[in-house]
Amino acid sequence: MMMEGEHSEREKERLPPIYSSTAPAGFGGGAKQPLPSLSNFISTFSQRRDVGGRGFDSGGVMGTSLGLRHGRELPPICSDVRQKQRLCVQTLPPEAKAPFPCEPVVPLRTKTTKDFQEDMDRAVQSGDWREVRDFYLTTFNSFMELNAAFKREANGLFNTIEDSGINVKFVNTVYDTLINTPQDIQKSVLKGIINSLLREWKGPRTKDDLRAYFILVQNPQYSSSSTFVIYAHLLRQIAALSEADHHFLVHWLKKLSARRFKQLVERLLQFISTRLFPADPDELPPLTKCSWWIPSATKVLSLFNAANSVSSPPIMPFTDFYNITLDHMDFMEEYRTWQNYGNSNRFSFCQFPFILSTVVKKAIIQKDSEQQMISQARQSLVSKVSRRQRVDMNLLFLNIKVRRAQLLTDSLDELTRKRCDLKKKLKVTFVGEAGLDMGGLTKEWFLLLVRQIFHTDYGMFTYMKDSRCHWFSSWKCDNYSEFQLVGTLMGLAVYNSIALDIHFPLYCYRKLLTPPTVPCDQNALVGMATATLDDLQQIMPELAHGLAELLSYEENVEEDFYLTFQVLQEEMGMVKCYNLKSGGDRIPVTKHNRKEYVQLYIDFLLNKSIYKQFAAFYHGFHSVCASDALMLLRPEEVEMLVCGSPELDMCALQRAAQYEGYNKTDVTVRCFWDVVLSFPLEMQKKFLHFATGSDRVPVGGMSDLNFKISKIDVPTDWLPVSHTCFNQICLPPYRSRKELKHKLTIAVNNAEGFGLE
């Protein structure tokens, strides 16, 4: 076995970064160090075992690193994020259609789950573990023996994605029992796994090899950091499998129980976190010697993410794949690495955005936005100076001046006229008011504008009562600039970190990311996301229910429904007919073509009938938010960035509150929180709007508001005062709960407009 330290320098240069002994950016660096061979590892392992009874300690296992010969580049597990956001395994890759390599003859093993449990019971009662020890020692010594023990039929092929051929119940029993066996048995299992991983494999993997990997990755022993070296090499081999083999593993993984699946995901997340931020740095090998650990683990984790994505419903929430430990790393360095190298051999967590929390993605977008703002302002400044013109500091901002009485018209005119300044910092002025915009005026401008645009009388959007969301009106007109304004408004909100009270269905945000970056070809279609009956259910549940009944109808569809491939739609009080396909008015809907009818109908409602409206909306949003960072986001995360969280947790706000002139035990403060916590939900929203300028909670939760309560030395007949720019409320020293509630209620219910003291 060649040691990694024996590579020539020329060979080392050919290795991708995760295989070289120099860590990539963000994962440490250092001089090249020779690594021990696997034979040395086993020798050390055996010596430890001979000492007996102490289990794996960090000095015995973690002080070494296996030297497997994997010189070839790991294939990508996650498709190029720049082109395709999620790993898609809906279609079998071409490699999987090739003839399967010959399977070796698997020895016949007849032990059943019941037999094994009886062996365990006898061992526990008698203290004689020989039979159990022999089973574990034999089973985990090779991939062939793993198949012999756990395959339902020893020499059955099971070459399908639907059935792994594994006796899952037996695997679960063996692993659940393993952690309660004596230490020497547990060590023998780990030694057997090392032997299994060491064997040379020539040519493509067989499906029995995949089954062995599928079984080994479920071993609960990897929860201990003392086994991380073995776990890392297992993950490395799984990550190095072909795309076709990954396809099989993804579909086998999704058939695990939800509890087992979640345990494996948590184990991988723990492995990544511990490798990044070890509690004891001496517990693990130096990063310079194992820079491939994190890339391998992340790629295997992406298989679980893919399995979760293709499951309906998902096995676990997508947020459970977030690794909050990564919130503390230099994520902008990760982002820049990804921007510069894409999905090449240079690893970055941004290649696998499912692992990054919304907090990190929001921070990346904010930093990226700030850089674009600075760049835009610098260009304006340089342009002025080069022409020897007087520099006005206002040129560094997007200055919006509006009249409250003409809010929508003025806003549309200002944004149209200043479209070149959209990426500058936003400042709003209400004509005739003395307020200075330190953030509060901007929040109110967004609030009032959204309230007016989405009013049913305005007609741009239809409010769906059943789904309690807004959808685009399908009326046709010559100018769709107001839809572009709404898109621009949403983009500015994300760009300036303002949460909006907008109620679009999730499908709208999926359309907004189709594609995530504006195509270079101006004639390319945008926003045409594939629509399903589930998407229609989010918007028009009653119609979706009717179409579902049509699909399941057992009688004569043509005679009983009397439908054609033509739909009627009301526009501005007039009913218009549209053919779903050429000659649709003459094509009856039958039991044979009803699926096509339903799909065309859904696509018409959610895409084609509103294409011009949504295209204007799409281009408005991306005129502000054109950023690579958008490629990292799921539709749910875009919704969170635009709208914040509607869930108000006033107890969390109380815990995070800061005080100036008061402390949390003062009578006024205790009365204040007693009143606020007793408010009904709508009143709490009004209070949040009064104090912060928005009734939405930011992505990071209430603690991100930096809410402050300050003492103001004025008579107690004064009302509370808020500084929405700074999320601050100023309270006079009220002496009773009744007085405080009365004054606060008046202030909250009359919170519109700004003035200067």
Side-chain angles (χ1 to χ4, degrees), residues 547 550-551 557-558 561-568 576-604 608:
L547 292 176
L550 170 64
L551 290 174
V557 171
E558 183 176 356
F561 283 85
Y562 200 66
L563 294 169
T564 63
F565 277 71
Q566 184 184 65
V567 294
L568 306 177
K576 294 188 177 182
C577 302
Y578 293 95
N579 285 346
L580 297 178
K581 57 192 295 187
S582 180
D585 57 324
R586 299 187 301 275
I587 303 174
V589 176
T590 66
K591 186 174 288 189
H592 301 292
N593 64 16
R594 59 184 172 180
K595 285 186 179 179
E596 181 190 12
Y597 168 80
V598 168
Q599 187 56 49
L600 289 174
Y601 192 9
I602 293 171
D603 186 56
F604 173 79
K608 293 179 180 176

Side-chain angles (χ1 to χ4, degrees), residues 125-178:
Q125 291 172 7
S126 66
D128 183 358
W129 291 87
R130 281 177 297 179
E131 195 164 352
V132 173
R133 182 181 294 107
D134 289 344
F135 171 80
Y136 278 111
L137 191 62
T138 302
T139 299
F140 287 89
N141 196 50
S142 71
F143 282 12
M144 187 178 294
E145 288 292 347
L146 282 167
N147 279 275
F150 297 118
K151 205 171 173 182
R152 291 200 303 274
E153 297 176 20
N155 288 296
L157 292 179
F158 299 109
N159 288 329
T160 70
I161 62 174
E162 300 304 327
D163 185 6
S164 66
I166 297 295
N167 185 338
V168 177
K169 182 180 178 181
F170 194 12
V171 172
N172 292 342
T173 301
V174 168
Y175 276 144
D176 289 344
T177 304
L178 175 61

Side-chain angles (χ1 to χ4, degrees), residues 660-662 710-719 721 730-734 757:
E660 185 177 74
Y662 286 118
S710 299
K711 186 174 184 178
I712 180 172
D713 291 320
V714 295
T716 56
D717 57 352
W718 280 45
L719 296 176
V721 176
C730 299
L731 291 177
Y734 299 119
E757 295 179 9

